[in-house]
Amino acid sequence: MPTQLVQTIHRDPALFYWILFPITIVMILTGVLRHYATVLLATTPKKQPLPNLREQRSLLRGINLRTNSHAISPSSFNARKTYLVSAFKDGAFLKDPESRGKPAGNPMTDPAAMEGMMGMMKGNMAMMIPQTLIMSWINAFFAGFVIMKLPFPLTLRFKSMLQSGVATRDLDVRWVSSLSWYFLNLFGLQSVFIFILGNENAASQMAQQMSQMNPGAGAPAMFQPGQDPDKTFLSEAENLEVVEHEYILKGIEDRLLATI
């Protein structure tokens, strides 16, 4: 049987210490500095007026009732449902009932929306500037170097990801270039940052991108700039009206006795 040839590249062992280690250390230090820069640039949330809080908490109350309806008895659910549906349709929880039915204002004139956009811009600057500098540094000093070989086989689909900056068609896919090592560190140091800075950190590039792409993940849908609260309340009232309530403790006595 023909034996498979093993591709060998004679490299200077110093490349491992003068390229791989510096890139990794610089990426970790940059993530730590980005975290503290983001903390310093973050603005203190302003205290919201009572009508605004009441409007938001009322919508959240309807969402919680619809989500956890199985945990309360039918009489309690129907009483809460009747009260909330009536209040949502009448606009009882609106912070500005006089503006009901009027078109939503321009979000660019809303101070709260502008403050949120400014905070997002600060986060983008804290993320883009360090990565641009590091990318330029690697391209200037470490471009075209092959620094390590992975100990496990990979398919050709990984070649473009692992060998960025090395235009060699016949090179084994397991070889990793310096530029690709930068990208691997860029998206793979989340566990290191959690160990150093804790779970709530702003050091990870991937975490910041995900939070900006989906800022409402893990939180109930609140009012966004330019959104009509009245329409949101009416939509939630319709959702409550069509909920099919099923009490989780219905017939619990018979079910308990049947297991004895």
Side-chain angles (χ1 to χ4, degrees):
M1 295 179 61
T3 59
Q4 184 178 3
L5 297 178
V6 178
Q7 189 177 69
T8 303
I9 298 179
H10 298 283
R11 297 171 298 115
D12 188 350
L15 293 177
F16 189 82
Y17 303 102
W18 291 101
I19 297 180
L20 188 141
F21 279 176
I23 293 177
T24 305
I25 294 173
V26 168
M27 292 296 296
I28 294 176
L29 294 179
T30 302
V32 175
L33 292 177
R34 186 193 301 119
H35 166 74
Y36 288 109
T38 304
V39 172
L40 292 176
L41 292 174
T43 57
T44 304
K46 295 182 179 179
K47 186 177 180 181
Q48 297 187 14
L50 183 60
N52 293 17
L53 289 175
R54 183 168 178 262
E55 186 180 62
Q56 296 179 6
R57 298 301 184 269
S58 300
L59 179 62
L60 183 60
R61 183 181 177 186
I63 296 175
N64 289 336
L65 176 63
R66 176 165 48 88
T67 306
N68 305 309
S69 59
H70 60 275
I72 58 178
S73 63
S75 59
S76 299
F77 172 75
N78 291 329
R80 290 171 170 81
K81 172 184 173 181
T82 302
Y83 168 73
L84 288 178
V85 169
S86 176
F88 287 169
K89 290 184 176 181
D90 296 339
F93 299 127
L94 294 175
K95 63 181 179 181
D96 188 10
E98 298 180 356
S99 63
R100 186 181 185 187
K102 298 180 181 179
N106 187 0
M108 299 300 294
T109 60
D110 187 5
M114 294 299 297
E115 184 177 353
M117 293 175 62
M118 185 61 66
M120 184 178 297
M121 186 180 298
K122 292 179 181 178
N124 289 333
M125 295 297 292
M127 180 177 60
M128 294 295 295
I129 293 178
Q131 300 307 328
T132 303
L133 295 176
I134 295 177
M135 190 75 171
S136 302
W137 171 62
I138 293 177
N139 281 328
F141 294 97
F142 307 129
F145 286 99
V146 176
I147 57 177
M148 63 180 298
K149 184 179 182 181
L150 299 178
F152 47 86
L154 294 171
T155 62
L156 289 176
R157 293 179 179 271
F158 292 90
K159 187 175 181 65
S160 60
M161 181 180 68
L162 296 178
Q163 297 178 4
S164 299
V166 180
T168 305
R169 184 182 61 181
D170 298 329
L171 187 63
D172 190 356
V173 68
R174 290 185 294 174
W175 291 102
V176 180
S177 66
S178 57
L179 189 59
S180 294
W181 181 249
Y182 158 74
F183 287 113
L184 292 176
N185 281 274
L186 186 63
F187 300 108
L189 289 176
Q190 175 65 14
S191 300
V192 178
F193 293 138
I194 291 177
F195 176 76
I196 298 175
L197 303 171
N199 292 323
E200 300 295 332
N201 66 81
S204 174
Q205 177 96 352
M206 178 65 74
Q208 285 198 4
Q209 289 181 351
M210 292 298 293
S211 63
Q212 290 175 6
M213 291 173 60
N214 191 11
M222 291 291 105
F223 306 111
Q224 301 297 328
Q227 185 178 2
D228 189 1
D230 186 41
K231 293 182 179 179
T232 306
F233 278 124
L234 293 177
S235 176
E236 185 59 32
E238 294 179 359
N239 294 335
L240 285 173
E241 288 178 334
V242 299
V243 170
E244 296 182 1
H245 181 258
E246 183 176 354
Y247 189 31
I248 194 174
L249 297 180
K250 182 180 179 180
I252 186 62
E253 300 88 352
D254 298 334
R255 285 185 284 166
L256 181 60
L257 293 176
T259 59
I260 299 177

